[in-house]
């Protein structure tokens, strides 16, 4: 477990100079992710904001080998890379160690890339899959995804006169990954760097498929000032809107328990995607969100065998 | 060299070639009539006959994605498919070729839904004709086997670097048995060699970025370079065929004229139907008719110059398409041949025929009728004849 000082001294694999928006949570995620590995990595990424901003030809923000092919298949593409690694190593044509990290936004992971992710995890390729979850399709202009939380405004689930934002529940992808019985699955966020870096290290050192879901606040899509990214992420975990936990070989462990669980409103009210909730008629919706957060948190406590679980 | 004669289906011939190549990675997904190739290959792996890393993916989109990943990583990578599988790969076909990855793929031709039909026509591979892949069409199982041995050498040529599909007619070739001469494993391995890419993801000393985003400032140049590789690769492909002939004894070409030198009326065809046309040409020749056949073996790159040289003296040409172009103008091969020959003076009559959709039989009598009609068209000077259908109830 490196200290911040040690981390900053490590060579940066994902470099500055990319074209992400100021305060982009996903870019911070990548930076943390890529400072961790001791062994060289090959990074593969799905189409989306981070791919677009990091490799505008003839520039690249990647100092490791990197591949992007399409939107729905970073896991499948990396399955091929990892298979090539195993084949060439076994055949004695390669004797360098590598790790493999496949990445995608929530769209490229929860939705269109769901099948290829599930396939890769089921087949047991040794790769870390990281979803940078900014809870919408940001690259195409903030459309809803199945990771968009209930009642959030997006351009395809707008808060209108009759319908107050996204009506459906958020898909719990981390749970679905756990159901794949992979040896390591976790949730992290940019605000808790030590927690995240620790998880990335564990995942990369696990011999098998691993998954980390990272909440990556997006100033543009969520509507908050660019300097608040880290603070918003902290509110997300302090309100238990985005619990931090890991599941090692099926064993749940909560890795961060807020000393005092804040009301979810503290997280919501700073974001324009929830602006409509402060209007008249917003009360019951706020209540609904709080109830859902509470119930999920209790379920998680129970899974982790902690006090307060139902 | 000692050759072994074996009775093999087209699928078995393909699997045998793959066994001898023993690629680094094979990722594949079953679909009729290709399934057997995947099964046979998995059997070779399970029995330790080959030591390929196989990836039994969950879809064809992923099989092409994984093959792309493996190839980009620096491995010799192969997959196989048919029909809906190729259609599901469509997005990735362009990415494989655009990244200039020398993937090799047996493609067992089968029609596309709807209506659902599992039998042969070329609507699948013809739909991929503009995807920047080299396309070779095999006439029989021997050619399936030979083409697959040639394919890695073509695809991986440093001045080609284009993915290559070897197309074989579903059921007609894939499931029908014929004698195939197999070459010794060591000879094939020696001919194919080891793939050593100039750039690969798995190289600590020289990391690369693959699949960057190109704006309007570079995309066009990259596509132009891709097109140029396609345009200029014909002599290099031929050189591989020539080297193959030296080693294994059979000479192949981009196009294969049959009794064409003094022919007046010619049928152009690709795939297994060439065998039927050959029989008809022989029969008609015996009756003293100046007829011939041109088999289009390599359809991408399109051998336009070669066609012009070979067909300039001919009076009438009938092009047989096993795919409907859905443009009211006949099939895709017809359109391209007619266009290639447009500047000839005198310009031959070129007529188009769509046949065999969904596995409908094409018989000797059908081809005879085509020659008859073609003679009539030429005599009447009909140059506006667009397209006819063979053996369909109207
Ligand atoms: C097959 C396909 N469908 C649609 C698109 C258009 N598209 C590109 S990125 C994107 C959304 C990406 O969203 P997400 O994965 O959440 O990543 P983010 O943009 O938020 O970083 C979409 C819909 C595409 N590239 N390919
Ligand atoms: S839109 Fe959001 S996710 Fe995309 S680059 Fe900007 S801040 Fe990052």
């Amino acid at each position: 477990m490196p200290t911040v000082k040690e981390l900053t001294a490590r060579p940066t694999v994902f470099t500055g100079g990319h074209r992400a928006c100021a305060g982009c949570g996903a870019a911070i995620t990548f930076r943390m992710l890529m400072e961790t590995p001791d062994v060289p990595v090959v990074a593969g990424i799905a189409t989306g904001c981070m791919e677009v901003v990091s490799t505008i030809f003839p520039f690249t923000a990647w100092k490791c080998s990197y591949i992007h092919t399409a939107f729905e298949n970073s896991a499948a593409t990396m399955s091929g890379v990892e298979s090539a690694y195993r084949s060439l190593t076994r055949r004695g044509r390669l004797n360098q160690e590598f790790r493999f990290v496949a990445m995608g936004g929530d769209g490229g992971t929860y939705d269109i890339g769901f099948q290829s992710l599930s396939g890769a995890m089921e087949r047991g390729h040794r790769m870390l899959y990281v979803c940078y979850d900014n809870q919408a399709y940001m690259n195409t202009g903030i459309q809803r995804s199945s990771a968009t939380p209930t009642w959030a405004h997006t351009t395809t689930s707008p808060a209108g006169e009759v319908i107050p934002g996204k009506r459906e529940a958020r898909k719990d992808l981390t749970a679905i990954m756990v159901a794949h019985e992979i040896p390591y699955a976790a949730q992290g966020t940019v605000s808790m760097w030590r927690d995240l870096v620790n998880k990335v290290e564990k995942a990369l050192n696990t011999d098998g498929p691993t998954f980390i879901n990272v909440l990556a606040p997006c100033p543009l899509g969520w509507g908050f000032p660019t300097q608040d990214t880290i603070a918003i992420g902290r509110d997300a975990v302090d309100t238990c809107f985005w619990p931090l936990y890991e599941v090692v070989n099926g064993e749940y462990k909560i890795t961060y328990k807020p000393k005092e669980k804040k009301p979810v409103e503290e997280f919501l009210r700073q974001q324009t995607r929830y602006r409509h909730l402060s209007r008249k008629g917003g009360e019951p919706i706020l209540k609904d969100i709080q109830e859902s957060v509470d119930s999920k948190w209790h379920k998680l406590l129970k899974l982790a065998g902690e006090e307060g679980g139902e | 060299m000692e050759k072994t004669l074996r009775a093999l289906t087209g699928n078995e011939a393909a699997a045998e070639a793959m066994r001898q190549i023993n690629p680094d990675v094979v990722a594949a997904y079953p679909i009729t009539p290709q399934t057997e190739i995947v099964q046979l290959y998995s059997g070779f792996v399970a029995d330790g006959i080959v030591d390929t890393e196989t990836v039994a993916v969950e879809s064809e989109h992923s099989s092409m994605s994984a093959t792309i990943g493996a190839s980009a990583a620096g491995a010799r990578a192969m997959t196989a498919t048919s029909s809906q599988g190729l259609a599901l790969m469509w997005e990735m076909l362009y990415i494989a070729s655009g990244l200039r990855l020398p993937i090799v793929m047996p493609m067992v031709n089968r029609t596309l839904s709807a209506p659902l039909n599992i039998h042969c026509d070329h609507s699948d591979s013809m739909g991929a004709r503009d995807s920047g892949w080299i396309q070779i069409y095999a006439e029989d199982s021997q050619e399936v086997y030979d083409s697959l041995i040639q394919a890695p050498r073509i695809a991986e040529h440093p001045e080609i670097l284009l993915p290559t599909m070897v197309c074989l007619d579903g059921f007609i070739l894939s499931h029908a048995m014929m004698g195939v001469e197999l070459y010794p494993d060591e000879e094939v391995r020696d001919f194919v060699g080891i793939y050593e890419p100039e750039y690969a993801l798995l190289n600590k000393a020289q990391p690369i970025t693959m699949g960057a985003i190109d704006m309007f400032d570079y995309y066009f140049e990259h596509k132009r370079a891709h097109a140029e590789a396609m345009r200029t690769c014909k002599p290099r492909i031929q050189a591989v065929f020539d080297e193959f002939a030296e080693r294994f004894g059979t000479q192949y070409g981009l196009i294969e004229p049959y009794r064409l030198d003094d022919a007046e009326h010619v049928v152009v065809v690709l795939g297994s139907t060439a065998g039927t046309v050959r029989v008809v040409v022989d029969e008609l020749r015996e009756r003293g008719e100046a007829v011939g056949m041109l088999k289009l073996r390599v359809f991408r790159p399109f051998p336009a110059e070669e066609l012009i040289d070979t067909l300039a003296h001919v009076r009438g040409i009938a092009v047989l398409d096993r795919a409907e172009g859905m443009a009211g103008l006949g099939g895709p091969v017809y359109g391209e041949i007619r266009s290639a020959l447009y500047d000839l003076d005198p310009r031959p009559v070129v007529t188009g025929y769509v046949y065999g959709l969904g596995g409908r039989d094409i018989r000797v009598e059908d081809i005879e009728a085509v020659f008859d009609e073609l003679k009539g068209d030429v005599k009447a000077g009909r140059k506006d004849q667009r397209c006819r259908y063979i053996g369909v109830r109207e």
Side-chain angles (χ1 to χ4, degrees):
Chain A
M1 179 70 226
T3 63
V4 190
K5 219 170 179 185
E6 282 162 9
L7 264 190
T8 48
R10 283 197 192 173
T12 314
V13 178
F14 181 71
T15 66
H18 54 72
R19 324 279 177 93
C21 310
C24 172
I28 301 168
T29 306
F30 277 27
R31 171 96 191 215
M32 287 183 185
L33 209 73
M34 288 303 162
E35 267 175 355
T36 308
D38 296 323
V39 179
V41 291
V42 180
I45 187 170
T47 311
C49 271
M50 293 320 291
E51 163 262 329
V52 169
V53 304
S54 69
T55 60
I56 302 182
F57 190 86
F59 305 106
T60 179
W62 298 88
K63 283 192 175 168
C64 62
S65 273
Y66 160 101
I67 183 166
H68 158 257
T69 62
F71 186 20
E72 59 281 65
N73 62 350
S74 76
T77 305
M78 204 47 78
S79 300
V81 176
E82 192 259 357
S83 299
Y85 170 72
R86 272 190 285 142
S87 179
L88 296 178
T89 304
R90 187 158 41 77
R91 290 179 166 191
R93 305 225 311 273
L94 185 79
N95 58 0
Q96 307 172 357
E97 218 186 336
F98 283 93
R99 297 277 184 269
F100 303 95
V101 185
M103 291 164 286
D106 47 295
T109 307
Y110 285 65
D111 291 343
I112 199 169
F114 185 58
Q115 171 183 313
S116 96
L117 169 64
S118 174
M121 295 290 116
E122 180 269 329
R123 287 190 300 274
H125 297 279
R126 182 173 179 167
M127 70 168 86
L128 163 60
Y129 191 100
V130 175
C131 174
Y132 65 95
D133 184 354
N134 53 27
Q135 309 205 313
Y137 303 155
M138 297 311 175
N139 184 50
T140 35
I142 322 168
Q143 293 85 26
R144 91 187 274 287
S145 78
S146 60
T148 303
T150 321
W151 308 123
H153 162 98
T154 73
T155 52
T156 49
S157 64
E161 294 299 326
V162 181
I163 305 169
K166 192 207 179 201
R167 284 184 283 193
E168 303 78 17
R170 196 177 69 81
K171 188 192 276 184
D172 188 350
L173 185 66
T174 313
I176 297 170
M177 286 299 110
V178 172
H180 280 65
E181 299 194 2
I182 54 177
Y184 189 85
Q187 285 199 172
T189 188
V190 288
S191 316
M192 313 292 275
W193 69 267
R194 190 183 276 275
D195 179 81
L196 181 59
V197 164
N198 199 9
K199 285 169 178 167
V200 172
E201 275 195 351
K202 273 193 199 172
L204 285 174
N205 288 327
T206 301
D207 186 9
T210 55
F211 174 83
I212 304 179
N213 207 352
V214 182
L215 185 74
C218 164
L220 191 79
W222 297 10
F224 61 80
T226 54
Q227 70 274 19
D228 288 353
T229 307
I230 301 297
I232 296 258
R234 191 171 291 277
D235 287 335
V237 295
D238 280 337
T239 57
C240 296
F241 171 89
W242 187 262
L244 300 185
Y245 64 99
E246 63 185 9
V247 186
V248 185
N249 296 317
E251 294 287 323
Y252 278 76
K253 188 180 158 212
I254 295 171
T255 58
Y256 174 76
K257 239 170 130 180
K259 280 199 191 70
E260 196 190 330
K261 184 163 165 281
K262 292 185 184 173
V264 72
E265 211 185 325
E266 290 202 16
F267 168 65
L268 306 180
R269 70 165 174 233
Q270 311 171 54
Q271 309 170 39
T272 59
R273 63 174 174 160
Y274 292 110
R275 189 166 42 195
H276 56 291
L277 302 187
S278 53
R279 280 187 231 135
K280 221 175 97 209
E283 278 305 310
I285 296 176
L286 281 171
K287 199 165 156 260
D288 177 69
I289 296 176
Q290 185 65 61
E291 277 169 13
S292 142
V293 165
D294 291 345
S295 122
K296 283 186 185 143
W297 176 242
H298 286 131
K299 269 188 200 145
L300 186 65
L301 288 171
K302 193 181 172 196
L303 283 167
E306 300 242 4
E307 220 171 292
E310 341 159 86
Chain B
M1 169 194 330
E2 191 149 340
K3 300 181 185 177
T4 323
L5 185 65
R6 295 249 317 265
L8 296 179
T9 64
N11 278 347
E12 287 167 345
E16 279 299 305
M18 286 172 71
R19 176 187 64 72
Q20 293 181 319
I21 295 168
N22 191 7
D24 301 311
V25 176
V26 168
Y29 194 79
I31 180 169
T32 304
Q34 171 277 130
T35 307
E36 221 179 356
I37 300 180
V38 181
Q39 288 176 351
L40 289 166
Y41 205 76
S42 305
F44 295 149
V45 176
D47 291 336
I49 294 167
V50 293
D51 62 348
T52 300
E53 197 65 45
T54 51
V55 196
V57 283
E58 82 299 334
S59 75
E60 285 89 351
H61 194 285
S62 286
S63 68
M64 187 46 73
S65 302
T67 309
I68 288 170
S71 182
R76 177 176 279 149
M78 293 179 73
T79 180
T81 198
S82 275
S83 183
Q84 307 300 125
L86 187 73
L88 189 56
M89 284 179 185
W90 200 76
E91 178 189 36
M92 302 316 295
L93 293 178
Y94 280 74
I95 292 171
S97 67
L99 294 178
R100 305 292 297 276
L101 297 173
I103 290 162
V104 170
M105 174 166 75
M107 222 306 293
V108 188
N109 283 106
R110 161 184 153 183
T111 193
L112 285 170
S113 282
L116 176 62
N117 177 302
I118 59 166
H119 292 282
C120 175
D121 67 37
H122 295 166
S123 42
D124 48 5
S125 57
M126 281 298 156
R129 70 187 182 276
D130 300 337
S131 62
W133 281 59
I134 289 172
Q135 287 194 347
I136 300 174
Y137 287 79
E139 180 181 336
D140 54 33
S141 297
Q142 184 70 51
E143 202 172 322
V144 171
Y145 172 70
D146 290 353
S147 302
L148 275 168
I149 293 170
Q150 296 160 354
R153 288 289 308 277
I154 295 169
E156 293 163 12
H157 190 297
E159 279 164 277
I160 299 181
L161 287 179
L162 291 171
T164 300
M165 62 177 87
V166 173
C167 303
L168 56 144
D169 286 345
F171 292 104
I172 301 165
L173 296 187
S174 68
H175 286 64
M177 202 161 271
M178 67 172 275
V180 178
E181 278 191 333
L182 300 183
Y183 319 123
D185 292 358
E186 323 78 68
E187 292 282 342
V188 173
R189 279 189 194 155
D190 188 54
F191 179 78
V192 174
I194 284 176
Y195 174 49
E196 278 169 29
E198 202 180 334
Y199 299 100
L201 296 173
L202 295 176
N203 183 348
K204 227 188 263 191
Q206 193 188 24
I208 52 167
T209 288
M210 273 195 123
I213 174 171
D214 266 13
M215 300 303 212
F216 34 73
D217 48 0
Y218 287 101
Y219 180 87
F220 206 168
E221 281 71 24
H222 285 141
K223 278 293 147 185
R224 179 72 180 84
H226 185 170
E228 193 62 10
M230 192 56 100
R231 196 180 68 78
T232 54
C233 73
K234 286 188 284 184
R236 296 181 184 124
I237 296 177
Q238 188 59 54
V240 173
F241 293 164
D242 295 346
E243 212 187 301
F244 180 90
E246 260 171 50
R247 170 95 63 144
F248 300 109
T250 311
Q251 180 71 59
Y252 287 100
L254 298 162
I255 56 171
E256 295 185 359
Y258 184 68
R259 303 186 87 163
L260 202 61
D261 286 347
D262 60 340
E264 291 182 359
H265 301 100
V266 174
V267 163
V268 177
V269 68
L270 29 78
S272 63
T273 310
T276 316
V277 178
R278 211 180 291 272
V279 171
V280 176
V281 167
D282 285 346
E283 265 172 26
L284 296 182
R285 279 279 175 179
E286 243 161 67
R287 283 187 235 152
E289 294 190 30
V291 295
M293 173 182 82
L294 188 136
K295 181 173 95 173
L296 207 51
R297 182 158 178 266
V298 177
F299 179 61
R300 280 293 180 274
F302 190 69
E305 291 83 6
E306 292 77 359
L307 285 165
I308 293 167
D309 288 347
T310 318
L311 293 171
H313 66 282
V314 162
R315 296 179 64 200
I317 298 161
V319 181
L320 303 193
D321 261 292
R322 206 164 195 143
E324 168 56 80
M326 293 296 173
L329 285 170
V333 186
Y334 167 62
E336 296 200 3
I337 296 215
R338 208 172 147 98
S339 158
L341 302 182
Y342 183 82
D343 289 327
L344 283 179
D345 189 18
R347 192 184 302 151
V349 169
V350 187
T351 66
Y353 287 85
V354 171
Y355 77 99
L357 300 192
R360 175 77 38 99
D361 259 354
I362 176 99
R363 301 162 309 161
V364 166
E365 302 87 85
D366 297 323
I367 310 281
E368 282 172 354
V370 167
F371 274 115
D372 270 351
E373 266 178 342
L374 180 62
K375 272 180 277 174
D377 289 338
V378 169
K379 203 176 266 163
R382 268 199 292 271
K383 295 203 171 179
D384 59 345
Q385 182 56 50
R386 284 272 186 262
C387 174
R388 300 186 180 105
Y389 292 87
I390 302 176
V392 67
R393 295 186 296 275
E394 302 272 5

